[in-house]
Amino acid sequence: MVAVLVLAALALDSVVRLETPRGGVFMPTVAIGTWEYGSKDVFAAISGAVKAGMTHVDTANNYKNQQAVGDAIRASTLREKIFLTTKVPGCSEPDVAGCYASTQADIIADMEQLGFRNVDLLLLHFPPRPFPWRPKEDCARLRAQWRALEEAYDDGRARAIGVSNLCPSCLECLRSSTDPPLRVFPAVNQVQFHIGMGTDPGGIVSYAAAHGLVLQAYSPLGDGRSRELISGPLVSKIGELNGRTGPQVSLKYVLQLGWSLVTKSTSAFHLAEDIDLFGWTLSPAHMAELTTATAPFANYSFACVD
């Protein structure tokens, strides 16, 4: 199945349809991220995002801030108005039973820390440790973790389930499972993606297109080591020609390639910019110019590269 972008009525955002066994789940394409944020920044980011018109919040067990995320959502809006994504970590246990049990425990902890009975999207944050991913050695443990996520989908704790930082060989490990057989294929793969990485790093875009997987970009403005995608000459020039800022050009490029994305800011001004990505397009010439950029380069996953 092919991911379809749909304009949301009376909203500043758009949505993408996630395919699940129970039918489509519509995910807002722009999410506010909370990685590395303490309680004060979490509140500023989420309250500011809600005021700007964002309706998707992204967090994770490993971020150690889920209680603050839940509190900020409750203080800013109604839970049902937010599409909430969280994650469970890849396991460190050496055996299948340990990975399954630890993932079950992490899912319970996610809900308790957030203070909600369910989330809209539950992701497996990365493949089992140690890194990098080893297909033969780690496949059984990955399948055990995924079984715990399938059970969370079955009992309604997650409306959709997906993965993050997984490469095609990880996804093939899941897809080829026969004992037990795969019941729910991941709806989303959240990986690093931005200008400078080409259009199909590691074949993840081709794989996603072949299997109906929605791609979501984290660090769409780069990983913080460079301001090239914020104030660099290329994005600044194209932004000026379009009446937009450099960051808007960088984010729009990702969306226009068909990705969803997670952005980050505690600034009301920047959050308003980050959601103002609809109703305008980059020309084919500008998209081509951005596609040819080779910097800043990054790997799409810190844990797994085929």
Side-chain angles (χ1 to χ4, degrees):
M1 287 180 247
V2 178
V4 180
L5 289 175
V6 184
L7 289 179
L10 302 178
L12 297 176
D13 203 349
S14 68
V15 296
V16 61
R17 179 185 170 104
L18 309 182
E19 298 299 340
T20 80
R22 289 195 287 264
V25 172
F26 291 93
M27 178 181 79
T29 54
V30 177
I32 181 66
T34 59
W35 178 54
E36 293 186 320
Y37 282 171
S39 298
K40 182 178 179 181
D41 286 339
V42 162
F43 184 81
I46 292 177
S47 61
V50 169
K51 290 175 183 175
M54 292 187 192
T55 57
H56 186 173
V57 174
D58 178 272
T59 186
N61 184 291
N62 281 15
Y63 297 173
K64 308 300 182 186
N65 61 11
Q66 291 194 112
Q67 182 176 340
V69 167
D71 290 344
I73 291 172
R74 283 182 286 272
S76 302
T77 187
L78 299 175
R79 165 67 183 92
E80 55 266 29
K81 293 185 177 182
I82 293 295
F83 188 100
L84 179 56
T85 296
T86 192
K87 312 175 191 77
V88 291
C91 69
S92 299
E93 287 73 12
D95 59 282
V96 168
C99 282
Y100 173 68
S102 68
T103 307
Q104 285 184 310
D106 285 334
I107 294 171
I108 292 170
D110 278 352
M111 305 305 158
E112 290 178 345
Q113 291 166 20
L114 289 164
F116 299 125
R117 289 178 295 178
N118 57 31
V119 296
D120 298 286
L121 177 61
L122 177 64
L123 302 180
L124 178 61
H125 204 162
F126 43 81
R129 297 176 185 273
F131 302 148
W133 151 261
R134 304 165 302 175
K136 291 183 179 179
E137 296 89 341
D138 300 332
C139 183
R141 294 192 298 142
L142 177 63
R143 287 172 176 170
Q145 290 205 267
W146 187 250
R147 182 157 54 94
L149 267 74
E150 287 183 321
E151 291 170 358
Y153 173 78
D154 290 341
D155 64 26
R157 285 177 291 169
R159 295 175 61 218
I161 54 177
V163 295
S164 179
N165 294 297
L166 263 61
C167 52
S169 65
C170 294
L171 293 160
E172 279 301 292
C173 161
L174 295 178
R175 201 168 71 91
S176 62
S177 179
T178 58
D179 185 23
L182 180 77
R183 295 187 294 107
V184 185
F185 189 71
V188 173
N189 190 12
Q190 184 188 106
V191 297
Q192 182 168 188
F193 182 71
H194 51 68
I195 294 167
M197 294 176 61
T199 56
D200 193 12
I204 56 170
V205 175
S206 301
Y207 188 93
H211 298 287
L213 188 65
V214 172
L215 290 171
Q216 185 177 50
Y218 67 76
S219 300
L221 298 178
D223 59 11
R225 292 179 293 179
S226 165
R227 294 184 61 82
E228 186 70 23
L229 303 184
I230 297 172
S231 55
L234 178 59
V235 296
S236 295
K237 179 195 75 172
I238 292 176
E240 186 175 348
L241 291 171
N242 286 273
R244 301 289 169 172
T245 65
Q248 285 180 308
V249 169
S250 297
L251 296 176
K252 183 65 176 181
Y253 171 81
V254 172
L255 288 179
Q256 206 160 310
L257 287 178
W259 291 62
S260 57
L261 62 84
V262 181
T263 187
K264 278 182 62 183
S265 182
T266 58
S267 160
F269 178 80
H270 291 146
L271 288 165
E273 280 191 339
D274 288 354
I275 196 64
D276 185 15
L277 302 173
F278 307 97
W280 60 281
T281 58
L282 294 167
S283 70
H286 287 158
M287 287 293 291
E289 194 172 359
L290 294 165
T291 296
T292 61
T294 57
F297 178 78
N299 290 320
Y300 66 84
S301 169
F302 59 81
C304 169
V305 179
D306 282 345

